[in-house]
Amino acid sequence: MLGRLEELCNLNGVSGDEGRVRRYIKEIAKDYADEVWTDTMGNLYAHKKGDGPKVVVAAHMDEVGMIIWGAMENGLLIYQTQGIDPRVVVSKRVVVGPREIPGVIGAKAIHLQSMEDRKKVLSHSELFIDIGAKDKADALKYVSPGDYAAFDTKWERLGSDRMKAKALDDRMGCAIALELLKQTYDCDFTAVFTVQEELGLRGAQAAAYNVKPQVALVLEGTTANDLPKTQGHQHITKVGGGPAISFMDGSTIVPRAMFEALKSAAQEAEISFQVKQGTAGGNDAGAIHKALSGCVTGVISVPTRYLHSPCSLASISDFENAYRLADAFFATGKQNEVINEVL
Amino acid sequence: MYEKTMIQKIVTAYGPSGREQEVTDVIRSFVEPLVDEVTVDALGNLIAHKKGTSGKKIMLVAHMDQIGLVVTDIDEKGFLRVSNVGGVHPVTAAARPVRFENGTRGVTYFETENSGFMNPSKTAITQLFIDIGADSREEAEAKVQLGDMAVYDVNFLEMGRRISCGALDNRICCAALVEALKDMETEHDIYAVFSVQEEVGTRGAGAAAYAIGPDLCINLDVTLFGDTPKCMPMAVKLGGGAAIKIMDASVIVAPMVYTFLEDVAKAEDIACQRDVMRMGGTDTSVVQRSRDGVLAGGISIPVRYVHSPVETADLRDYEATVALLRAAVKRSELPQR
Amino acid sequence: MDIFQAITELTALPGVSGSEETVCAAVQTWFRRYTDQVWSDPMGNTYARFGNPDGPTILLMAHMDEIGLMVYDIEEGGLVRICNVAGVDPRVLPGSELMIYGTEPVKAVVGALPPHLQKAGDVMSNYKIEELLCDTGLSPEEVKERIRIGDPVAFAPRPPQKLVNNVIAGKTFDDRACIAALLEVMDLLKDYKLYANVVVCASVQEERGMLGSGVGAYHIDPDMAIAIDVCHAPQPGAKPVDYVDFDKVAITRGGNIHPKMYEKLRDSAKEQNIAFETDVTISRTGTDAWSIQVQRGGIPTGLVSLPLRYMHTSVEVISMDTLKNCAKVIAGVVRAIGADWEETLCLDD
């Protein structure tokens, strides 16, 4: 599962341009699912037929990144982005477009900066991607307006139990969902790999309509703010503290039955877990739980530091235990228990 | 006439967004004798169905959840840290008695260093905590878990024609909907929906609307007011009658719907006023945009000091709302585009 | 079709978001010139259907609502308080002429404190809409008779003005000019035997946050959709990333747009030698395309935009030539739909 995660994290799949990730997942999923299909938005579905309730496990394929607006006369590329702090992109490598043209985001050298310059935060509109093009016409030979650009960061293990990569949010969820497909559970099981989560839970909305699940489990990479000077009640989650179970976030309140069932699945399987403390942020559960006439939805997250940056960091054991927790939940038939309790 | 004990029971039941079980049980006990079937959906919406003969479906919806505080951390001294559930003003939330679903009582206060009452504009919900009388984390954890929610623990206050309590938003309308179901005369299918999770962004009612597919929806919720000292101007007055929704921040009601309600009020001599609420959204919005669209309107009960523990309403407006709702569903001809 | 005539008629009528009945009636009349199948849904979205009823459905959408205001309180002396319904820039209101659509239309001016009465520094901050007062010149009794809480208020209509070079100026070109473009599409297609089933929709409440179009797309459940709206053209103070050249059709690419719908529109423009520009938006386009895309199980959606100067003012400026080109690009896509339509929408994998 870890090797797969490495491959997934190294793929580029900015929101709206998830094709590479989709192709990779499709290849693997088709060996385990009865049917694999893609909808018009690009959501990928891997369906394992079964008796019992309709269950969805959802993870999003997209990552934050940039889109090319056009080129300037000097050949630098103008980009747009959403959800990225401009302070993290200066001096980073990116790859651009379907041909993955390498580029860098530079800025005025420190020698040339005034005291005022040093204090000022550069905004995205003052930053550009340099692919080495001579001028505008040259740049447009390699890149078209509307091409996407992703951070060029490689997955790596740090120390014994940590890893760094881009797109850990949410390729970890994708890897876990793929692993769950290998098992057989007492339900009609669909793993949904969604698009455009980072643009506002867009893919999940259509996906919920297409599958019409009764129970959904969303697998996410969530904020870990366990840093010095942060008070305990503002950590949200802690890296290394085990998979996080949500009771509430900015988009969803998890039904008590679901929250309790996830906790007892962890306890019964002796997996140490944490309760996600913050209530901010959102994920695909927000779109899925209230789609159609409603769906019982829970969330398991892997704590991740430095989300939405070129380098995020997570714990390998948290990741593996998130899989074990999801597996324990379904293997012990908790999907049936929560439905009976809620309805 | 109204039944004060019923109002009091519904208004004081526990039920923050997403944890509406207790208030669901209370309301269910009142509506079950009045309708043909009562169901609960996957999100927890309570749907009471009264069969009709016309083939037309009317959805009447009032949300039953209230704002609250959710426990996000318990520290080593037994203090509880919280986040808001719905629109909680940090300043209003301090120095209040609160209670949890299992009966645990506590009080709220602010960190006093660098914040608190000296500078209300700087206070944030992260500076608020609940003291439940515990000395240690262990002692606190015996009573309260992460994810448990607290609501204001306040008394039901009678002030002549007016009443005051927390959670009048929107239990006063839940009570009105129950009241209206008594002896309701109508040829239409009535789906009385007591919806969940309105306060966190109108999340519940849409699922119910999707399942029901109504021809007309009337939403009961509270509205703001323009008749207290130096308040924001607004044409709605406490005691001015049922407020017929024209617009709020989330929805614009179709003219044929609000004029229908106005015509009914006029014909039946029911006091009413027009409601243009510039802040705040309601379930009307999600129902209006469900499926192929629904003709959805609203009747509002004006409530002062909304989202505080001293929300105040006038029972004349309550009576007018009940009367208008009953008279509206009695009509054979419903509004049409 | 006389585009100027259509725009003149359509922009003369009130249709503030949520109160589109009047303009809706006119749109229906225009639609009926091309088809008998015209209807509205409960939200007020208005549709016209033509083409091959057994073919794949393409939905073409422009919104008919306009930015505007609403009466929310009336002072004892008869002065009227107004609040924003959608999209009105408070800076343009002082000294503006408005029309209050009460029991009958009532002309009103928005008062502004003369410089003589101002204190130093007053001019440094803009008015908030809620503190402005509308003066109808009527007695309090007359006001009571004609104006009620909840009445819609819009900029007082004036006929559009022809400028040089087939350029015109007026109010509510956002998005009635695009309704006119859809009429032009109907006109361009009227003599063709189409493979596609075409539904044209004039949507409501776009200015409130694309509220009508989601319902419209759900209602029609199309196989593909194209929204047409206005975008910014070069104007004082605007940066290149904010606009598209005045004489080019803007075709959007980005997360909100199905890649193949972009290609269809681009190819249609290329084949007809129409000047276009790819307008890039990473996420929310702020048009009906945004809510159409995620309806039901997802709808392949494209977006065409007409460049416009001074959006949301009473002097919006467009080129009628560019408008015609927008219509030609859309008509080209509709004509090109054939039996292979499903394959043409397959994502590249």
Side-chain angles (χ1 to χ4, degrees):
Chain A
M1 189 166 68
L2 200 59
R4 191 149 285 156
L5 177 64
E6 174 174 356
E7 289 174 359
L8 277 164
C9 286
N10 289 344
L11 293 171
N12 298 316
V14 175
S15 310
D17 183 35
E18 299 89 350
R20 297 182 194 88
V21 183
R22 183 166 53 241
R23 285 190 285 278
Y24 176 92
I25 294 174
K26 197 194 285 178
E27 270 311 300
I28 297 162
K30 69 180 180 2
D31 291 339
Y32 303 107
D34 297 316
E35 51 173 352
V36 176
W37 62 285
T38 304
D39 72 17
T40 185
M41 285 195 74
N43 296 306
L44 180 72
Y45 304 80
H47 180 200
K48 283 185 85 158
K49 289 177 191 153
D51 296 328
K54 228 177 217 184
V55 170
V56 153
V57 165
H60 68 90
M61 297 188 285
D62 61 315
E63 65 187 283
V64 294
M66 297 151 224
I67 193 167
I68 305 302
W69 184 84
M72 301 211 297
E73 292 306 331
N74 61 9
L76 294 178
L77 306 179
I78 301 169
Y79 69 87
Q80 274 181 15
T81 186
Q82 180 166 306
I84 298 178
D85 181 338
R87 292 173 299 180
V88 307
V89 306
V90 181
S91 155
K92 302 299 182 300
R93 292 184 187 201
V94 296
V95 293
V96 186
R99 288 187 281 156
E100 307 209 317
I101 308 284
V104 297
I105 299 175
K108 187 159 73 175
I110 190 162
H111 321 75
L112 307 177
Q113 294 172 19
S114 67
M115 288 309 286
E116 279 306 301
D117 285 343
R118 291 190 191 191
K119 282 187 213 147
K120 197 177 148 267
V121 174
L122 290 170
S123 68
H124 287 297
S125 62
E126 298 167 294
L127 293 164
F128 304 91
I129 297 174
D130 187 343
I131 56 166
K134 289 195 293 263
D135 54 26
K136 185 173 182 173
D138 190 34
L140 293 177
K141 280 185 220 159
Y142 302 97
V143 176
S144 305
D147 284 356
Y148 291 87
F151 293 122
D152 182 15
T153 308
K154 294 293 170 243
W155 184 94
E156 250 179 299
R157 188 189 273 262
L158 299 180
S160 60
D161 183 51
R162 300 287 194 267
M163 53 185 164
K164 74 108 195 350
K166 71 175 176 69
L168 281 171
D169 165 24
D170 184 31
R171 304 290 158 71
M172 292 191 290
C174 294
I176 294 168
L178 274 173
E179 203 67 15
L180 292 169
L181 272 177
K182 295 181 186 170
Q183 313 301 327
T184 300
Y185 303 117
D186 185 14
C187 60
D188 186 82
F189 186 88
T190 306
V192 181
F193 303 88
T194 63
V195 296
Q196 300 192 20
E197 192 266 359
E198 303 289 0
L199 303 187
L201 325 180
R202 303 276 294 168
Q205 193 177 332
Y209 182 90
N210 282 327
V211 183
K212 302 180 174 54
Q214 292 163 283
V215 176
L217 182 61
V218 172
L219 305 170
E220 256 291 6
T222 197
T223 320
N225 192 28
D226 52 337
L227 302 173
K229 289 203 174 168
T230 308
Q231 282 182 279
H233 69 284
Q234 290 172 323
H235 280 166
I236 308 180
T237 62
K238 298 176 187 65
V239 169
I245 299 173
S246 302
F247 54 81
M248 173 177 172
D249 61 37
S251 67
T252 313
I253 297 173
V254 176
R256 191 201 309 272
M258 188 68 173
F259 178 53
E260 295 298 333
L262 283 165
K263 284 197 290 183
S264 49
Q267 280 153 356
E268 288 160 21
E270 296 184 342
I271 299 163
S272 72
F273 67 96
Q274 52 190 317
V275 172
K276 180 179 169 181
Q277 292 179 299
T279 56
N283 55 57
D284 279 341
I288 294 170
H289 83 282
K290 60 180 184 180
L292 305 157
S293 48
C295 162
V296 182
T297 308
V299 185
I300 298 174
S301 308
V302 185
T304 312
R305 288 185 191 155
Y306 329 122
L307 282 175
H308 291 204
S309 86
C311 277
S312 43
L313 182 146
S315 148
I316 292 168
S317 57
D318 288 350
F319 163 66
E320 288 169 345
N321 284 326
Y323 162 72
R324 287 179 57 215
L325 171 53
D327 175 59
F329 178 87
F330 293 117
T332 54
K334 298 264 187 310
Q335 64 276 22
N336 298 305
E337 286 173 28
V338 293
I339 285 194
N340 291 337
E341 200 166 323
V342 170
L343 290 176
Chain B
M1 259 318 285
Y2 51 86
E3 205 183 305
K4 208 174 285 174
T5 52
M6 190 264 291
I7 297 176
Q8 185 167 352
K9 270 188 185 159
I10 291 176
V11 165
T12 54
Y14 171 94
S17 307
R19 298 291 179 263
E20 297 93 349
Q21 190 59 52
E22 183 181 315
V23 64
T24 304
D25 293 343
V26 170
I27 292 173
R28 184 194 270 267
S29 71
F30 286 115
V31 296
E32 233 154 23
L34 307 176
V35 298
D36 296 306
E37 192 187 19
V38 179
T39 54
V40 173
D41 72 13
L43 294 183
N45 295 304
L46 180 74
I47 302 172
H49 179 201
K50 189 174 156 62
K51 286 182 186 143
T53 54
S54 71
K56 291 217 176 92
K57 294 187 255 188
I58 303 180
M59 172 172 171
L60 308 173
V61 57
H63 74 86
M64 58 182 168
D65 61 316
Q66 67 189 113
I67 58 165
L69 298 168
V70 60
V71 178
T72 58
D73 189 57
I74 302 174
D75 75 12
E76 63 282 4
K77 289 183 180 163
F79 291 103
L80 317 179
R81 292 294 182 155
V82 293
S83 277
N84 56 308
V85 179
V88 176
H89 311 300
V91 175
T92 312
R96 304 292 178 198
V98 296
R99 86 187 140 105
F100 289 87
E101 188 164 24
N102 65 6
T104 299
R105 254 62 184 192
V107 295
T108 60
Y109 213 73
F110 267 120
E111 295 171 352
T112 45
E113 188 188 70
N114 301 327
S115 73
F117 307 107
M118 304 311 288
N119 195 347
S121 66
K122 279 196 175 168
T123 55
I125 201 82
T126 50
Q127 293 159 344
L128 195 73
F129 55 83
I130 301 178
D131 183 344
I132 55 166
D135 271 335
S136 66
R137 178 179 286 142
E138 293 66 36
E139 196 182 340
E141 280 178 347
K143 295 177 175 173
V144 173
Q145 304 287 311
L146 296 189
D148 284 357
M149 293 181 190
V151 300
Y152 297 132
D153 187 19
V154 287
N155 293 324
F156 184 83
L157 198 64
E158 293 181 56
M159 310 187 290
R161 292 185 298 258
R162 295 186 177 162
I163 55 172
S164 173
C165 192
L168 285 188
D169 174 9
N170 185 35
R171 301 293 172 66
I172 186 76
C173 290
C174 293
L177 182 47
V178 173
E179 191 83 48
L181 284 172
K182 291 179 189 165
D183 311 315
M184 181 178 274
E185 292 172 47
T186 178
E187 63 195 76
H188 310 296
D189 270 73
I190 299 293
Y191 292 86
V193 177
F194 299 87
S195 66
V196 296
Q197 298 192 32
E198 191 272 351
E199 296 290 0
V200 288
T202 55
R203 293 186 194 153
Y210 186 90
I212 294 164
D215 298 287
L216 174 69
C217 171
I218 302 171
N219 176 211
L220 301 186
D221 206 333
V222 303
T223 187
L224 303 174
F225 51 90
D227 58 348
T228 58
K230 286 222 168 190
C231 66
M232 307 267 289
M234 183 171 176
V236 171
K237 289 172 182 55
L238 227 64
I244 295 173
K245 182 182 295 296
I246 292 174
M247 178 171 94
D248 65 37
S250 68
V251 72
I252 302 169
V253 176
M256 60 285 284
V257 178
Y258 66 73
T259 52
F260 165 76
L261 291 172
E262 274 184 333
D263 290 347
V264 172
K266 205 171 175 188
E268 307 291 328
D269 208 12
I270 299 164
C272 71
Q273 49 190 332
R274 284 186 162 199
D275 177 22
V276 175
M277 185 168 80
R278 286 171 287 140
M279 290 169 294
T282 58
D283 280 341
T284 321
S285 60
V286 286
V287 178
Q288 183 188 52
R289 302 197 273 279
S290 171
R291 290 188 184 251
D292 305 62
V294 174
L295 284 175
I299 307 174
S300 316
I301 299 180
V303 167
R304 287 181 185 161
Y305 328 124
V306 166
H307 288 195
S308 84
V310 294
E311 295 177 333
T312 300
D314 191 309
L315 290 166
R316 289 173 299 182
D317 299 334
Y318 171 88
E319 287 184 337
T321 297
V322 172
L324 179 53
L325 198 55
R326 278 193 178 143
V329 300
K330 203 171 173 180
R331 293 288 173 106
S332 303
E333 290 292 317
L334 300 179
Q336 266 182 336
R337 170 89 54 185
Chain C
M1 196 198 72
D2 185 345
I3 290 176
F4 187 71
Q5 178 60 29
I7 292 181
T8 304
E9 275 185 34
L10 291 170
T11 59
L13 300 168
V16 175
S17 300
S19 311
E20 297 92 349
E21 296 72 28
T22 310
V23 66
C24 174
V27 168
Q28 291 206 357
T29 307
W30 277 92
F31 279 173
R32 287 213 168 82
R33 290 186 176 196
Y34 301 101
T35 173
D36 294 335
Q37 294 181 49
V38 175
W39 75 99
S40 298
D41 70 23
M43 271 198 85
N45 298 304
T46 294
Y47 308 87
R49 198 211 69 78
F50 59 96
N52 169 17
D54 301 321
T57 300
I58 180 164
L59 172 65
L60 309 177
M61 188 183 281
H63 67 90
M64 62 179 161
D65 64 313
E66 67 183 294
I67 60 164
L69 306 141
M70 184 181 274
V71 175
Y72 78 90
D73 207 357
I74 299 169
E75 295 288 318
E76 274 172 26
L79 290 172
V80 175
R81 285 191 184 273
I82 48 174
C83 60
N84 216 339
V85 169
V88 174
D89 177 357
R91 293 182 309 177
V92 308
L93 280 175
S96 279
E97 296 178 35
L98 302 180
M99 196 68 91
I100 302 174
Y101 294 94
T103 50
E104 60 188 275
V106 177
K107 193 74 168 280
V109 297
V110 183
L113 205 62
H116 322 70
L117 301 177
Q118 291 176 12
K119 293 193 296 289
D122 278 2
V123 74
M124 299 305 286
S125 60
N126 286 313
Y127 289 106
K128 293 194 189 83
I129 291 182
E130 279 76 6
E131 48 188 40
L132 295 170
L133 290 162
C134 291
D135 199 329
T136 59
L138 302 175
S139 69
E141 293 72 32
E142 288 170 313
V143 169
K144 203 169 264 177
E145 248 168 55
R146 297 184 203 173
I147 299 174
R148 295 155 306 172
I149 305 298
D151 286 342
V153 182
F155 287 111
R158 281 179 73 181
Q161 180 65 49
K162 280 187 175 163
L163 308 177
V164 297
N165 293 331
N166 236 358
V167 170
I168 57 173
K171 75 177 270 274
T172 325
F173 289 179
D174 172 10
D175 196 26
R176 307 271 169 79
C178 294
I179 300 278
L182 288 182
L183 294 171
E184 176 72 6
V185 171
M186 295 171 90
D187 201 68
L188 289 170
L189 294 174
K190 66 177 189 290
D191 297 327
Y192 283 86
K193 190 166 163 47
L194 297 170
Y195 185 82
N197 180 40
V198 186
V199 178
V200 173
C201 173
S203 69
V204 297
Q205 299 197 31
E206 191 274 350
E207 299 288 2
R208 287 274 287 182
M210 296 83 81
L211 300 183
S213 48
V215 164
Y218 185 96
H219 175 59
I220 300 300
D221 193 10
D223 297 295
M224 61 195 108
I226 298 170
I228 173 167
D229 208 329
V230 296
C231 67
H232 297 292
Q235 55 199 291
K239 297 191 295 281
V241 290
D242 296 329
Y243 57 69
V244 169
D245 286 345
F246 193 58
D247 51 3
K248 287 182 184 156
V249 175
I251 303 175
T252 300
R253 217 185 150 193
N256 190 182
I257 303 303
H258 194 282
K260 298 296 172 182
M261 291 305 289
Y262 164 75
E263 287 173 18
K264 281 173 190 284
L265 289 163
R266 180 197 61 191
D267 295 347
S268 169
K270 279 185 179 169
E271 278 161 26
Q272 300 178 77
N273 284 321
I274 292 168
F276 75 97
E277 192 169 316
T278 300
D279 186 24
V280 175
T281 304
I282 190 166
S283 175
R284 181 185 167 106
T285 55
T287 67
D288 282 339
W290 183 247
S291 39
I292 294 171
Q293 186 192 18
V294 294
Q295 291 308 310
R296 295 196 181 247
I299 293 168
T301 305
L303 173 62
V304 170
S305 304
L306 169 67
L308 172 149
R309 296 203 281 262
Y310 325 126
M311 202 182 288
H312 288 196
T313 70
S314 40
V315 292
E316 297 177 332
V317 173
I318 58 161
S319 153
M320 288 204 289
D321 294 336
T322 316
L323 185 152
K324 273 187 193 162
N325 282 340
C326 289
K328 281 184 193 163
V329 168
I330 294 172
V333 171
V334 175
R335 280 196 306 265
I337 294 171
D340 64 343
W341 66 274
E342 234 170 334
E343 291 141 50
T344 66
L345 288 172
C346 275
L347 295 169
D348 291 328
D349 53 71

